[in-house]
Amino acid sequence: MKIYDELKARGLIAQVTDEELIADLINNGKATFYIGFDPTADSLHVGHFMALCLMKRLQMAGNKPIALIGGGTGMIGDPSGRTDMRQMMTPETIQHNCDCFKEQMSKFIDFSEGKALMVNNADWLMDLNYIEVLREVGAHFSVNRMLSAECYKQRMEKGLSFLEFNYMIMQAYDFYALYQNYGCNLQFGGDDQWSNMLAGTELIRRKLGKDASAMTITLLLNSEGKKMGKTQSGAVWLDPNKTSPFDFYQYWRNVGDADVLKCIRMLTFLPLEQIDEMDSWEGSQLNQAKEILAYELTSLVHGEEEAKRAQESARALFSQGNAAEMPTAELTEEDFTDGKIDILTMLVKSGLVPSKSEARRAVQQGGVAVDGEKVADIYAAFEKDALAGDGVVIKKGKKNFRKVVVK
């Protein structure tokens, strides 16, 4: 099976500008393609995961990826999918985030010997002259057409700033610059980026008289239509210091029955023939599929050793065995009052809940246990001595655990 047909079979392709042309490019290793990543945090997250996997697949098929870090566009902020304006970041923060992205991307993409490029759009966007942009670029954009784009429609209700209005022009200019400087003939992105990507192909056509292509990737949604990659505590990060390999594993181990096979098909590198055989799985077999999904993705992000450790720890935990590799939260002297700590504070400090109101709700709903004993009293408190040595295991719900120890 050729790579384009495989992408279709895995359910990864959403929209394309010219299917025949794009299929020819990537099937024959003729694509120099880019995906953009705005440095809005110091780590990539699950929302970027499918894009990284796609870059890896296409590189394996002989195509050349360009990872575009948005050091320039990050100064503005993408309004797509937003109901409010993004927080403005300092140049120092943006540069730090860019550096973190580079390190994480190298786990997916081979940047050796010119096999891939990593570029920063600050290199050309920051030096642009405003009058020149208005004359040379702005003249090719229809305001009426821009306002009809979905990414702007959502923001019009609360007020679209002129700052954000320029984002589409900047992203289009990125494609134009990459086409000229690196021969980039194809752009990939999430399906919510379609309008911005078409603007890039149109700018290249108008300015250079050349054809460039665009293809969007299916958004990773669960069976309820919500974006995957978030927990009660926030995003699922690829940085092990922000989301531990165990928590990363557990996130995928806990996906819904209706979503597990779709995730295996879209995100793993398992052969399609093997995945097709799983289509008939049900009941306890779906739990096996979830273990396969969790192991494969944890191995991709954190390596085989961490994936094995997370899997063994999870199995040990749920079989009431030894969970030595369980994520651990350390308490300090300041966390105790008169030598005691209450259950709500423990839940928050452990990272199992983001706030005391969430902790209170979890206890009242009967979903909290300490060392296997259910805690029903929101005022329950624990002596510091009880947490000495190996500490205690605190559980929220059926599958969320932390070991809590005194530092």
Side-chain angles (χ1 to χ4, degrees):
M1 183 182 291
K2 292 190 174 180
I3 183 64
Y4 187 83
D5 295 325
E6 182 180 346
L7 296 181
K8 287 182 73 173
R10 289 183 180 274
L12 290 169
I13 299 176
Q15 301 183 78
V16 294
T17 50
D18 184 330
E19 185 171 48
E20 188 176 341
L21 175 59
I22 291 173
D24 177 63
L25 285 174
I26 66 175
N27 284 341
N28 295 296
K30 296 188 294 185
T32 297
F33 67 96
Y34 96 91
I35 298 180
F37 300 84
D38 272 357
T40 53
D42 59 359
S43 171
L44 296 163
H45 53 70
V46 163
H48 300 113
F49 193 66
M50 188 150 25
L52 292 170
C53 290
L54 180 70
M55 296 178 89
K56 184 179 176 75
R57 291 183 205 280
L58 291 172
Q59 186 179 47
M60 289 167 66
N63 298 286
K64 185 175 182 177
I66 299 176
L68 178 67
I69 307 296
T73 41
M75 299 285 286
I76 304 301
D78 183 4
S80 301
R82 303 282 298 189
T83 56
D84 56 356
M85 199 167 84
R86 293 183 186 273
Q87 184 178 354
M88 300 288 279
M89 297 182 294
T90 65
E92 292 77 19
T93 298
I94 290 171
Q95 185 56 53
H96 170 71
N97 294 350
C98 288
D99 294 340
C100 293
F101 278 20
K102 286 181 183 180
E103 186 177 344
Q104 291 179 344
M105 285 179 182
S106 297
K107 295 181 180 179
F108 292 83
I109 305 161
D110 181 3
F111 289 101
S112 66
E113 300 171 4
K115 293 177 182 175
L117 292 172
M118 185 173 289
V119 296
N120 190 327
N121 63 16
D123 293 343
W124 53 83
L125 291 178
M126 299 295 278
D127 294 331
L128 287 176
N129 176 284
Y130 186 61
I131 299 298
E132 183 183 351
V133 171
L134 289 177
R135 287 176 59 88
E136 301 299 322
V137 182
H140 298 293
F141 282 80
S142 160
V143 171
N144 290 352
R145 186 182 296 177
M146 289 174 72
L147 289 176
S148 68
E150 198 61 40
C151 60
Y152 290 143
K153 279 182 182 177
Q154 297 174 27
R155 293 286 290 116
M156 291 288 282
E157 297 175 12
K158 286 198 172 184
L160 174 70
S161 71
F162 184 69
L163 179 81
E164 296 170 294
F165 186 63
N166 280 270
Y167 190 89
M168 180 184 288
I169 296 174
M170 293 174 72
Q171 187 168 329
Y173 193 88
D174 281 345
F175 200 177
Y176 170 67
L178 290 169
Y179 187 97
Q180 287 187 292
N181 297 331
Y182 303 103
C184 179
N185 52 17
L186 180 60
Q187 179 184 179
F188 288 98
D191 202 33
D192 53 355
Q193 294 291 314
W194 183 238
S195 298
N196 293 338
M197 293 163 70
L198 288 181
T201 63
E202 183 68 5
L203 182 62
I204 291 168
R205 187 185 68 78
R206 286 174 175 265
K207 292 283 291 179
L208 304 174
K210 304 288 187 179
D211 288 324
S213 303
M215 184 185 101
T216 59
I217 315 162
T218 309
L219 295 176
L220 189 61
L221 306 175
N222 64 18
S223 55
E224 297 172 350
K226 297 178 181 177
K227 275 189 178 182
M228 298 185 71
K230 288 195 178 291
T231 66
Q232 280 188 324
S233 306
V236 180
W237 302 97
L238 305 193
D239 182 343
N241 296 315
K242 294 169 80 76
T243 298
S244 72
F246 180 89
D247 283 345
F248 187 85
Y249 179 95
Q250 282 299 103
Y251 174 80
W252 297 108
R253 175 62 181 80
N254 293 339
V255 299
D257 290 355
D259 300 317
V260 59
L261 291 178
K262 176 182 71 178
C263 289
I264 289 177
R265 188 167 273 110
M266 294 175 83
L267 297 174
T268 75
F269 287 78
L270 294 176
L272 281 167
E273 296 80 6
Q274 182 181 345
I275 300 170
D276 290 340
E277 291 175 4
M278 299 180 191
D279 282 334
S280 60
W281 286 12
E282 54 187 29
S284 61
Q285 287 180 305
L286 288 177
N287 286 329
Q288 184 183 343
K290 292 176 188 180
E291 281 200 341
I292 292 171
L293 171 68
Y295 180 85
E296 291 293 326
L297 299 192
T298 307
S299 181
L300 268 173
V301 175
H302 299 295
E304 282 191 35
E305 187 176 331
E306 288 290 356
K308 287 176 182 175
R309 188 177 298 168
Q311 186 173 68
E312 289 168 4
S313 182
R315 286 175 175 172
L317 184 60
F318 297 125
S319 64
Q320 302 302 309
N322 176 31
E325 301 299 335
M326 194 188 311
T328 299
E330 293 185 341
L331 301 177
T332 63
E333 291 288 341
E334 290 74 24
D335 296 321
F336 293 83
T337 302
D338 296 329
K340 294 182 178 180
I341 185 169
D342 63 271
I343 186 63
L344 303 187
T345 302
M346 272 179 68
L347 282 163
V348 173
K349 292 288 183 180
S350 70
L352 288 171
V353 296
S355 66
K356 284 197 173 182
S357 59
E358 286 283 333
R360 187 179 296 108
R361 192 175 303 119
V363 172
Q364 290 171 337
Q365 291 174 350
V368 175
V370 174
D371 277 349
E373 292 189 18
K374 186 174 177 180
V375 179
D377 181 6
I378 61 172
Y379 299 108
F382 299 82
E383 299 280 352
K384 187 170 71 172
D385 290 345
L387 280 73
D390 291 334
V392 297
V393 174
I394 185 169
K395 181 180 79 167
K396 183 182 78 72
K398 292 182 178 180
K399 299 176 180 178
N400 297 303
F401 296 77
R402 284 289 190 289
K403 182 185 287 187
V404 181
V405 299
V406 180
K407 192 172 182 180

PDB file of all heavy atoms in Angstrom, residues 147-163:
ATOM      1  N   LEU A 147     -13.109  37.361   6.392  1.00  0.00           N
ATOM      2  CA  LEU A 147     -14.115  37.385   7.453  1.00  0.00           C
ATOM      3  C   LEU A 147     -15.069  36.195   7.382  1.00  0.00           C
ATOM      4  O   LEU A 147     -15.731  35.866   8.359  1.00  0.00           O
ATOM      5  CB  LEU A 147     -14.912  38.687   7.396  1.00  0.00           C
ATOM      6  CG  LEU A 147     -14.137  39.942   7.820  1.00  0.00           C
ATOM      7  CD1 LEU A 147     -14.992  41.182   7.623  1.00  0.00           C
ATOM      8  CD2 LEU A 147     -13.683  39.843   9.267  1.00  0.00           C
ATOM      9  N   SER A 148     -15.121  35.532   6.225  1.00  0.00           N
ATOM     10  CA  SER A 148     -15.986  34.359   6.103  1.00  0.00           C
ATOM     11  C   SER A 148     -15.313  33.090   6.623  1.00  0.00           C
ATOM     12  O   SER A 148     -15.944  32.045   6.748  1.00  0.00           O
ATOM     13  CB  SER A 148     -16.388  34.153   4.636  1.00  0.00           C
ATOM     14  OG  SER A 148     -15.256  33.762   3.860  1.00  0.00           O
ATOM     15  N   ALA A 149     -14.006  33.176   6.941  1.00  0.00           N
ATOM     16  CA  ALA A 149     -13.265  32.015   7.443  1.00  0.00           C
ATOM     17  C   ALA A 149     -13.759  31.630   8.836  1.00  0.00           C
ATOM     18  O   ALA A 149     -14.044  32.482   9.671  1.00  0.00           O
ATOM     19  CB  ALA A 149     -11.769  32.324   7.491  1.00  0.00           C
ATOM     20  N   GLU A 150     -13.823  30.345   9.076  1.00  0.00           N
ATOM     21  CA  GLU A 150     -14.360  29.828  10.339  1.00  0.00           C
ATOM     22  C   GLU A 150     -13.554  30.314  11.537  1.00  0.00           C
ATOM     23  O   GLU A 150     -14.102  30.610  12.598  1.00  0.00           O
ATOM     24  CB  GLU A 150     -14.373  28.294  10.308  1.00  0.00           C
ATOM     25  CG  GLU A 150     -15.276  27.651  11.334  1.00  0.00           C
ATOM     26  CD  GLU A 150     -16.738  28.043  11.171  1.00  0.00           C
ATOM     27  OE1 GLU A 150     -17.218  28.140  10.032  1.00  0.00           O
ATOM     28  OE2 GLU A 150     -17.399  28.275  12.209  1.00  0.00           O
ATOM     29  N   CYS A 151     -12.229  30.421  11.357  1.00  0.00           N
ATOM     30  CA  CYS A 151     -11.379  30.819  12.490  1.00  0.00           C
ATOM     31  C   CYS A 151     -11.700  32.236  12.958  1.00  0.00           C
ATOM     32  O   CYS A 151     -11.500  32.570  14.129  1.00  0.00           O
ATOM     33  CB  CYS A 151      -9.908  30.692  12.115  1.00  0.00           C
ATOM     34  SG  CYS A 151      -9.398  31.709  10.707  1.00  0.00           S
ATOM     35  N   TYR A 152     -12.194  33.081  12.070  1.00  0.00           N
ATOM     36  CA  TYR A 152     -12.550  34.446  12.453  1.00  0.00           C
ATOM     37  C   TYR A 152     -13.999  34.556  12.917  1.00  0.00           C
ATOM     38  O   TYR A 152     -14.312  35.361  13.795  1.00  0.00           O
ATOM     39  CB  TYR A 152     -12.306  35.412  11.291  1.00  0.00           C
ATOM     40  CG  TYR A 152     -10.854  35.650  10.972  1.00  0.00           C
ATOM     41  CD1 TYR A 152     -10.417  35.803   9.658  1.00  0.00           C
ATOM     42  CD2 TYR A 152      -9.893  35.725  11.983  1.00  0.00           C
ATOM     43  CE1 TYR A 152      -9.077  36.025   9.360  1.00  0.00           C
ATOM     44  CE2 TYR A 152      -8.567  35.943  11.703  1.00  0.00           C
ATOM     45  CZ  TYR A 152      -8.162  36.092  10.386  1.00  0.00           C
ATOM     46  OH  TYR A 152      -6.829  36.312  10.109  1.00  0.00           O
ATOM     47  N   LYS A 153     -14.873  33.737  12.334  1.00  0.00           N
ATOM     48  CA  LYS A 153     -16.294  33.779  12.710  1.00  0.00           C
ATOM     49  C   LYS A 153     -16.473  33.601  14.214  1.00  0.00           C
ATOM     50  O   LYS A 153     -17.251  34.299  14.857  1.00  0.00           O
ATOM     51  CB  LYS A 153     -17.071  32.675  11.984  1.00  0.00           C
ATOM     52  CG  LYS A 153     -17.464  33.005  10.554  1.00  0.00           C
ATOM     53  CD  LYS A 153     -18.275  31.843   9.993  1.00  0.00           C
ATOM     54  CE  LYS A 153     -18.652  32.075   8.549  1.00  0.00           C
ATOM     55  NZ  LYS A 153     -19.375  30.909   8.002  1.00  0.00           N
ATOM     56  N   GLN A 154     -15.758  32.647  14.789  1.00  0.00           N
ATOM     57  CA  GLN A 154     -15.902  32.339  16.214  1.00  0.00           C
ATOM     58  C   GLN A 154     -15.477  33.520  17.085  1.00  0.00           C
ATOM     59  O   GLN A 154     -15.992  33.713  18.178  1.00  0.00           O
ATOM     60  CB  GLN A 154     -15.060  31.107  16.573  1.00  0.00           C
ATOM     61  CG  GLN A 154     -15.504  29.838  15.869  1.00  0.00           C
ATOM     62  CD  GLN A 154     -14.548  28.684  16.145  1.00  0.00           C
ATOM     63  OE1 GLN A 154     -13.886  28.649  17.172  1.00  0.00           O
ATOM     64  NE2 GLN A 154     -14.469  27.745  15.233  1.00  0.00           N
ATOM     65  N   ARG A 155     -14.513  34.317  16.591  1.00  0.00           N
ATOM     66  CA  ARG A 155     -14.004  35.424  17.391  1.00  0.00           C
ATOM     67  C   ARG A 155     -14.813  36.701  17.208  1.00  0.00           C
ATOM     68  O   ARG A 155     -14.744  37.610  18.023  1.00  0.00           O
ATOM     69  CB  ARG A 155     -12.530  35.693  17.026  1.00  0.00           C
ATOM     70  CG  ARG A 155     -11.578  34.583  17.424  1.00  0.00           C
ATOM     71  CD  ARG A 155     -11.323  34.539  18.926  1.00  0.00           C
ATOM     72  NE  ARG A 155     -10.528  35.685  19.334  1.00  0.00           N
ATOM     73  CZ  ARG A 155     -10.959  36.630  20.148  1.00  0.00           C
ATOM     74  NH1 ARG A 155     -12.169  36.578  20.652  1.00  0.00           N
ATOM     75  NH2 ARG A 155     -10.189  37.643  20.477  1.00  0.00           N
ATOM     76  N   MET A 156     -15.585  36.765  16.107  1.00  0.00           N
ATOM     77  CA  MET A 156     -16.341  37.978  15.813  1.00  0.00           C
ATOM     78  C   MET A 156     -17.378  38.277  16.897  1.00  0.00           C
ATOM     79  O   MET A 156     -17.711  39.422  17.167  1.00  0.00           O
ATOM     80  CB  MET A 156     -17.049  37.846  14.460  1.00  0.00           C
ATOM     81  CG  MET A 156     -16.100  37.830  13.274  1.00  0.00           C
ATOM     82  SD  MET A 156     -15.369  39.440  12.936  1.00  0.00           S
ATOM     83  CE  MET A 156     -16.741  40.229  12.098  1.00  0.00           C
ATOM     84  N   GLU A 157     -17.897  37.223  17.547  1.00  0.00           N
ATOM     85  CA  GLU A 157     -18.934  37.408  18.560  1.00  0.00           C
ATOM     86  C   GLU A 157     -18.424  38.228  19.743  1.00  0.00           C
ATOM     87  O   GLU A 157     -19.130  39.066  20.286  1.00  0.00           O
ATOM     88  CB  GLU A 157     -19.450  36.046  19.043  1.00  0.00           C
ATOM     89  CG  GLU A 157     -20.129  35.241  17.945  1.00  0.00           C
ATOM     90  CD  GLU A 157     -20.519  33.852  18.412  1.00  0.00           C
ATOM     91  OE1 GLU A 157     -20.462  33.599  19.634  1.00  0.00           O
ATOM     92  OE2 GLU A 157     -20.885  33.021  17.567  1.00  0.00           O
ATOM     93  N   LYS A 158     -17.171  37.972  20.166  1.00  0.00           N
ATOM     94  CA  LYS A 158     -16.615  38.686  21.320  1.00  0.00           C
ATOM     95  C   LYS A 158     -15.719  39.841  20.916  1.00  0.00           C
ATOM     96  O   LYS A 158     -15.309  40.627  21.738  1.00  0.00           O
ATOM     97  CB  LYS A 158     -15.828  37.708  22.202  1.00  0.00           C
ATOM     98  CG  LYS A 158     -16.708  36.770  23.001  1.00  0.00           C
ATOM     99  CD  LYS A 158     -15.926  36.166  24.158  1.00  0.00           C
ATOM    100  CE  LYS A 158     -16.831  35.383  25.086  1.00  0.00           C
ATOM    101  NZ  LYS A 158     -16.107  34.866  26.256  1.00  0.00           N
ATOM    102  N   GLY A 159     -15.414  39.920  19.630  1.00  0.00           N
ATOM    103  CA  GLY A 159     -14.555  40.998  19.172  1.00  0.00           C
ATOM    104  C   GLY A 159     -13.228  40.482  18.677  1.00  0.00           C
ATOM    105  O   GLY A 159     -12.448  39.929  19.456  1.00  0.00           O
ATOM    106  N   LEU A 160     -12.989  40.627  17.387  1.00  0.00           N
ATOM    107  CA  LEU A 160     -11.742  40.180  16.769  1.00  0.00           C
ATOM    108  C   LEU A 160     -10.792  41.363  16.689  1.00  0.00           C
ATOM    109  O   LEU A 160     -11.093  42.370  16.057  1.00  0.00           O
ATOM    110  CB  LEU A 160     -12.042  39.632  15.366  1.00  0.00           C
ATOM    111  CG  LEU A 160     -10.847  39.233  14.504  1.00  0.00           C
ATOM    112  CD1 LEU A 160     -10.185  37.981  15.081  1.00  0.00           C
ATOM    113  CD2 LEU A 160     -11.290  38.995  13.069  1.00  0.00           C
ATOM    114  N   SER A 161      -9.644  41.260  17.335  1.00  0.00           N
ATOM    115  CA  SER A 161      -8.685  42.365  17.306  1.00  0.00           C
ATOM    116  C   SER A 161      -7.973  42.413  15.956  1.00  0.00           C
ATOM    117  O   SER A 161      -7.841  41.395  15.262  1.00  0.00           O
ATOM    118  CB  SER A 161      -7.652  42.205  18.423  1.00  0.00           C
ATOM    119  OG  SER A 161      -6.781  41.124  18.134  1.00  0.00           O
ATOM    120  N   PHE A 162      -7.500  43.601  15.584  1.00  0.00           N
ATOM    121  CA  PHE A 162      -6.743  43.737  14.338  1.00  0.00           C
ATOM    122  C   PHE A 162      -5.457  42.922  14.415  1.00  0.00           C
ATOM    123  O   PHE A 162      -4.962  42.414  13.406  1.00  0.00           O
ATOM    124  CB  PHE A 162      -6.427  45.213  14.078  1.00  0.00           C
ATOM    125  CG  PHE A 162      -5.733  45.443  12.766  1.00  0.00           C
ATOM    126  CD1 PHE A 162      -6.408  45.256  11.568  1.00  0.00           C
ATOM    127  CD2 PHE A 162      -4.408  45.830  12.723  1.00  0.00           C
ATOM    128  CE1 PHE A 162      -5.759  45.449  10.348  1.00  0.00           C
ATOM    129  CE2 PHE A 162      -3.750  46.025  11.516  1.00  0.00           C
ATOM    130  CZ  PHE A 162      -4.435  45.836  10.327  1.00  0.00           C
ATOM    131  N   LEU A 163      -4.917  42.808  15.622  1.00  0.00           N
ATOM    132  CA  LEU A 163      -3.731  41.972  15.847  1.00  0.00           C
ATOM    133  C   LEU A 163      -3.975  40.555  15.335  1.00  0.00           C
ATOM    134  O   LEU A 163      -3.222  40.022  14.521  1.00  0.00           O
ATOM    135  CB  LEU A 163      -3.411  41.949  17.349  1.00  0.00           C
ATOM    136  CG  LEU A 163      -2.220  41.107  17.786  1.00  0.00           C
ATOM    137  CD1 LEU A 163      -0.925  41.861  17.557  1.00  0.00           C
ATOM    138  CD2 LEU A 163      -2.348  40.735  19.255  1.00  0.00           C
TER     139      LEU A 163
END
